[in-house]
């Protein structure tokens, strides 16, 4: 469905790495009718790519091939097979990092991904060229725009803000009050382990309570919102 035929506002979420805290995140998002895109590293699993957040929380990735139904109702997108910085790779390296992730996502979830989030938010002209070559249609960076207007360059897409942004609730109030003539998008991103490590799952619940169930807002995945599919 092209949401712009019926709405002028849309909200979408984007979460990276495919880690264990996604399970709690999904429970909360699903309970409020929210939709998200999960950008995963299919070359990493519970025992590979583990690291410590804030020196207190060990972050483990999910064994994605063992739980293909976990993300049902949401979108799976590319984040690089091994979470490598694409700007540090050769063209062949970029193609391998993207291609392996695309192939694995397609095999596990039965749908070829159409978008991605840049690992570390890092990209340059070469990576953009290779992303386009891989037939990915959008790619999100980590630079907050604090705006809602549609963007023309989806391969350098800027989110509205991170979920820990001090302006999150101010932006939410502004978005709710909008009566726009042109489509407006509120795009929130982050990592689910940040809620666990910062002990602020209530922040997500409060935000969802604030924005959920509005008749004038479309709630969709990145694919549905950015590509109007």
């Amino acid at each position: 469905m092209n949401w712009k035929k019926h709405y002028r506002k849309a909200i979408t979420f984007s979460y990276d790495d495919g880690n264990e805290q996604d399970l709690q995140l999904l429970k909360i998002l699903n309970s409020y009718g929210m939709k998200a895109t999960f950008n995963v590293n299919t070359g990493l699993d519970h025992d590979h790519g583990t690291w410590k957040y804030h020196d207190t929380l060990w972050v483990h990735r999910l064994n994605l091939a063992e739980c293909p139904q976990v993300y049902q109702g949401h979108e799976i997108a590319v984040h690089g097979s091994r979470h490598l910085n694409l700007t540090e790779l050769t063209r062949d390296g970029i193609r391998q990092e993207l291609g392996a992730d695309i192939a694995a996502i397609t095999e596990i979830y039965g749908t070829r991904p159409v978008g991605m989030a840049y690992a570390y938010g890092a990209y340059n002209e070469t990576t953009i060229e290779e992303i386009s070559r891989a037939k990915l249609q959008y790619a999100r960076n980590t630079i907050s725009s604090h705006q809602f207007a549609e963007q023309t360059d989806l391969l350098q897409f800027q989110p509205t803000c991170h979920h820990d942004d001090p302006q999150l609730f101010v932006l939410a109030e502004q978005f709710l009050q909008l009566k726009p003539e042109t489509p407006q998008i509120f795009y929130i991103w982050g990592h689910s382990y940040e809620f666990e490590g910062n002990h602020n799952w209530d922040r997500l619940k409060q935000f969802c309570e604030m924005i959920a169930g509005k008749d004038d807002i479309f709630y969709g995945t990145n694919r549905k919102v950015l590509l109007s599919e």
Side-chain angles (χ1 to χ4, degrees):
M1 181 190 77
N2 185 337
W3 63 273
K4 297 174 190 175
K5 293 181 179 179
H6 305 282
Y7 302 89
R8 283 294 175 267
K9 296 193 289 185
I11 288 177
T12 189
F13 292 81
S14 178
Y15 280 87
D16 298 348
D17 299 347
N19 49 73
E20 292 177 327
Q21 286 74 28
D22 282 0
L23 302 177
Q24 176 65 15
L25 175 62
L26 283 160
K27 287 181 181 179
I28 296 172
L29 294 179
N30 289 340
S31 70
Y32 288 98
M34 300 294 111
K35 295 294 183 180
T37 292
F38 291 86
N39 310 288
V40 300
N41 309 115
T42 53
L44 301 173
D45 57 29
H46 182 275
D47 299 318
H48 300 88
T50 299
W51 62 288
K52 189 176 280 191
Y53 178 66
H54 284 180
D55 293 326
T56 58
L57 176 68
W58 282 106
V59 179
H60 293 278
R61 286 171 168 80
L62 292 168
N63 293 329
L64 297 170
E66 297 175 4
C67 51
Q69 300 303 315
V70 164
Y71 296 105
Q72 188 171 5
H74 300 271
E75 178 190 10
I76 299 299
V78 174
H79 200 40
S81 177
R82 296 168 293 164
H83 203 279
L84 301 180
N85 185 328
L86 298 181
T87 66
E88 298 175 350
L89 305 179
T90 63
R91 282 189 182 270
D92 285 343
I94 296 171
R95 291 172 186 175
Q96 182 176 357
E97 178 74 353
L98 297 178
D101 213 26
I102 291 170
I105 290 171
T106 303
E107 179 180 357
I108 295 169
Y109 299 100
T111 302
R112 190 185 193 280
V114 297
M116 68 170 289
Y118 292 106
Y120 306 107
Y123 65 96
N124 55 26
E125 290 185 10
T126 300
T127 60
I128 292 173
E129 290 171 2
E130 292 302 322
I131 287 163
S132 180
R133 182 179 180 276
K135 301 188 182 334
L136 295 174
Q137 299 177 57
Y138 73 82
R140 191 213 80 217
N141 61 36
T142 58
I143 303 170
S144 295
S145 69
H146 293 137
Q147 297 180 8
F148 311 120
E150 288 191 290
Q151 299 174 37
T152 56
D153 189 352
L154 294 184
L155 296 186
Q156 300 184 69
F157 186 83
Q158 291 181 257
T160 304
C161 67
H162 186 278
H163 67 242
D164 273 336
D165 193 301
Q167 297 186 47
L168 177 68
F169 292 101
V170 172
L171 289 165
E173 187 60 40
Q174 291 175 358
F175 190 75
L176 291 173
Q177 296 302 318
L178 285 177
K179 303 295 181 185
E181 296 183 0
T182 58
Q184 304 287 293
I185 298 170
F186 195 167
Y187 187 117
I188 305 98
W189 80 281
H191 306 88
S192 59
Y193 61 77
E194 292 165 334
F195 291 114
E196 186 78 16
N198 295 328
H199 307 289
N200 64 354
W201 285 106
D202 284 345
R203 181 178 179 84
L204 175 62
K205 294 176 182 177
Q206 181 182 351
F207 179 72
C208 288
E209 287 175 2
M210 186 176 183
I211 64 173
K214 308 302 181 184
D215 293 338
D216 62 339
I217 295 177
F218 175 74
Y219 304 93
T221 63
N222 289 188
R223 178 176 188 159
K224 295 287 187 181
V225 170
L226 300 185
L227 304 182
S228 301
E229 292 184 354

